[in-house]
Amino acid sequence: MSVAPLRRQVLVNCDPDVAYRVFMDEIGSWWPIASLGCFGEGSTVAFDGERIVETASDGRTALWGTVVDARPPREIAFTWHPGRGPEEATRVALSFVGAGEGATLVTLVHTGWEVRPDPAAARGEYAGGWVTVLGRYADAPAVAGDAPGERWFVLEHTAGPAAPPEGVFASPDFPKHIAFLRELESRGQLVAGGPLPDDPGSGMTIARAADAVAAAELVRAAQQDDGAVAAGLLEVRVRPWRVVLSSV
């Protein structure tokens, strides 16, 4: 059974080269090791060459994964199997894309669930775990600064793993998506939104945020506060939009 990739995104207030460096070189300073590690409090994690290694306070080590593709400062991909053998390794890929002056949209895509004994359960476990991890990453001092200027985004929506055969509009969870769009409207962030008639189950929303704080919150809310996305009815991909001409 094929299981859909898991995507998580976060906006950080620095350029892509800094965002990449903080993820790669400073992972031990922000990773929530006490709750999301193999050895608990007191251990550390670091990229050791091409390996991602956790080291316990007593010297024990655990291999979390191995880098398979690195294109600094834009992309990094690695196998992923903390607490498990390499035969159950999934794959994590991150991209770092400039999202206006002094901001970077970091996108994490986790795939390869089919190697796990219960692929759907494994994906569900990480759905919340990556939210925690990227939240801690976004709070790291080097990426948590402020950046001036308005930010525009395209929110691309497609049918998610919980979409019924008769389509997303037939689901009782779909009104939650409309409620989320209304919330964006009430904040003054909604520019336009609606379905794409040539691609059933998909749609697009244009949104804008007044500043860096509002932009980071918008990216978070698109993934966590849209009830249809949280329920798996819809998948969302947030894309930064460099607007050069507008009458809005």
Side-chain angles (χ1 to χ4, degrees):
M1 179 183 67
S2 178
V3 177
L6 176 65
R7 179 184 292 109
R8 290 289 181 260
Q9 297 178 284
V10 66
L11 187 74
V12 293
N13 294 312
C14 61
D15 293 330
D17 57 339
V18 175
Y20 186 94
R21 175 181 58 77
V22 171
F23 192 94
M24 295 294 294
D25 298 345
E26 301 180 20
I27 188 171
S29 69
W30 53 262
W31 187 277
I33 197 73
S35 58
L36 296 177
C38 296
F39 303 125
E41 191 73 45
S43 62
T44 60
V45 62
F47 281 85
D48 179 11
E50 295 184 345
R51 306 187 310 153
I52 309 167
V53 179
E54 179 184 357
T55 304
S57 57
D58 61 6
R60 290 175 296 159
T61 62
L63 177 65
W64 286 12
T66 304
V67 174
V68 294
D69 189 18
R71 303 176 189 183
R74 302 296 178 182
E75 298 177 356
I76 181 72
F78 41 84
T79 62
W80 189 251
H81 55 94
R84 295 176 179 270
E87 70 280 359
E88 292 189 23
T90 52
R91 187 178 192 272
V92 174
L94 291 103
S95 62
F96 303 79
V97 177
E101 183 180 355
T104 299
L105 184 68
V106 181
T107 300
L108 179 149
V109 180
H110 196 162
T111 58
W113 306 105
E114 293 75 18
V115 301
R116 298 290 295 273
D118 188 338
R123 184 186 186 278
E125 177 184 354
Y126 274 100
W130 283 125
V131 170
T132 300
V133 168
L134 291 181
R136 286 286 297 272
Y137 166 68
D139 287 339
V143 301
D146 199 0
E150 189 176 63
R151 302 282 188 262
W152 289 64
F153 297 94
V154 175
L155 312 183
E156 296 180 345
H157 293 96
T158 54
E166 58 271 25
V168 299
F169 302 115
S171 170
D173 285 320
F174 186 75
K176 298 176 183 178
H177 177 60
I178 303 301
F180 172 71
L181 297 183
R182 293 298 187 194
E183 176 61 24
L184 292 184
E185 183 181 35
S186 72
R187 299 177 191 171
Q189 296 179 327
L190 179 67
V191 178
L196 298 171
D198 63 342
D199 188 6
S202 66
M204 186 169 67
T205 299
I206 306 298
R208 60 182 178 179
D211 53 37
V213 173
E217 170 59 19
L218 175 61
V219 172
R220 184 206 64 79
Q223 302 168 84
Q224 298 178 46
D225 293 351
D226 185 336
V229 173
L233 175 65
L234 296 175
E235 290 278 356
V236 63
R237 179 187 178 194
V238 181
R239 301 183 67 179
W241 192 17
R242 182 173 174 264
V243 176
V244 297
L245 183 64
S246 171
S247 61
V248 177

